[in-house]
Amino acid sequence: MTGTPQRRLVVFSGSGVSADSGLDTFRTSGGESLWAQYDPQVVCNFDCWEKNFSLVHEFYSRRREELGQAAPNAAHFLAVDWERRFGAELITQNVDDLFERAGARAVLHVHGYLPALRCMSCGAQWLIGYRRFSPETDRCPKCGRLESVKPNVVFFNEPAPRYAEMWRSLESLTANDVLAVIGTSGLVLPIGEIARRSPATTILSNLRPAASPRDRDFDHVLHGRAAEIAPDLDRLMTELMDR
Ligand SMILES: [Zn+2]
């Protein structure tokens, strides 16, 4: 056998994957949710985060504590299994570390990483884990500033520096490759458009049919909770990758 190029698999995921681990976002927030207790336009807004410094850190401290209590589910473990078996490239809009805790080697977090802080003055990034932020101990370890320390999460109105890598990965897919989109509303990134234009075989796994992304833009569609339909998704993927 000669020269068959390696089939690539890109897995693009969103909040639906982590919803089954008890984490949600402002788009899905119910009455009990942390997101229902804060105004995202105040605590996740790049234009005014410095003005709301304490509130921003209070909200993100609580999100980290919530993340510390959460555990990866079957959908995270499935993606990690694909990383091992097929060399899957994992791209996620999620800021949690549940893929990493499921054993992932490399995850492209296009919207940032919740267990880390970032200094907007000198660019330093460091881990805080699931701890609360403290003005006493969480100054920038490199330049010593406090007021420029921000959760390492991409806010509204803030550039997302890792989009370039994401576009490179998505736009270089060929007809030989597979793109799986799991648990995302497609409201932030036009993933339905990307799938429709992509020469790759495309799979959509979402809770239910939605206006965005549209089922008809994908070659294969599976509905249901990501963690519950993981075995069906795995069967389909194995068939596509082994063909
Ligand atoms: Zn700094």
Side-chain angles (χ1 to χ4, degrees):
M1 210 175 114
T2 55
T4 309
Q6 171 80 40
R7 196 186 299 286
R8 282 175 63 207
L9 166 60
V10 171
V11 180
F12 180 91
S13 63
S15 60
V17 169
S18 294
D20 280 330
S21 292
L23 301 177
D24 62 3
T25 73
F26 71 101
R27 290 184 209 284
T28 56
S29 61
E32 295 298 301
S33 163
L34 193 49
W35 287 89
Q37 301 167 43
Y38 295 80
D39 180 353
Q41 288 301 338
V42 171
V43 295
C44 312
N45 192 338
F46 194 60
D47 293 338
C48 58
W49 78 273
E50 288 162 297
K51 204 177 74 190
N52 300 309
F53 189 84
S54 301
L55 198 60
V56 166
H57 280 291
E58 170 63 20
F59 175 63
Y60 278 90
S61 291
R62 291 185 64 187
R63 286 191 72 190
R64 282 194 299 272
E65 288 176 333
E66 189 181 71
L67 177 57
Q69 303 296 314
N73 65 57
H76 296 104
F77 286 108
L78 179 62
V80 172
D81 188 41
W82 290 345
E83 187 187 40
R84 290 203 189 99
R85 283 160 63 203
F86 307 127
E89 300 159 44
L90 308 183
I91 303 177
T92 188
Q93 300 181 98
N94 299 342
V95 298
D96 62 62
D97 62 349
L98 297 181
F99 285 116
E100 283 84 353
R101 277 153 65 187
R105 284 189 300 246
V107 184
L108 176 56
H109 287 274
V110 295
H111 289 157
Y113 192 59
L114 183 57
L117 297 175
R118 175 186 177 84
C119 174
M120 299 311 287
S121 176
C122 75
Q125 291 181 29
W126 64 99
L127 290 174
I128 181 170
Y130 311 116
R131 252 195 327 103
R132 296 187 66 77
F133 175 85
S134 158
E136 318 301 319
T137 55
D138 292 316
R139 287 176 171 272
C140 172
K142 205 167 141 202
C143 74
R145 286 200 177 82
L146 175 65
E147 69 287 353
S148 56
V149 175
K150 179 181 166 293
N152 191 21
V153 167
V154 176
F155 284 8
F156 300 128
N157 307 313
E158 181 176 5
R162 306 206 67 186
Y163 274 12
E165 280 166 81
M166 175 192 71
W167 291 121
R168 263 200 304 280
S169 176
L170 292 172
E171 286 173 352
S172 60
L173 287 168
T174 70
N176 188 46
D177 302 327
V178 177
L179 168 64
V181 174
I182 307 178
T184 174
S185 66
L187 292 173
V188 180
L189 282 159
I191 195 67
E193 268 300 299
I194 294 162
R196 192 168 57 75
R197 290 197 331 253
S198 179
T201 301
T202 55
I203 303 172
L204 174 66
S205 167
N206 255 349
L207 192 55
R208 59 179 75 89
S212 171
R214 299 171 306 184
D215 288 358
R216 68 166 183 268
D217 288 336
F218 293 79
D219 300 311
H220 302 270
V221 178
L222 282 93
H223 290 138
R225 303 178 73 88
E228 279 171 18
I229 61 169
D232 299 325
L233 207 48
D234 190 34
R235 255 191 305 279
L236 172 63
M237 189 60 75
T238 302
E239 204 182 294
L240 291 172
M241 292 303 289
D242 289 347
R243 81 201 128 123

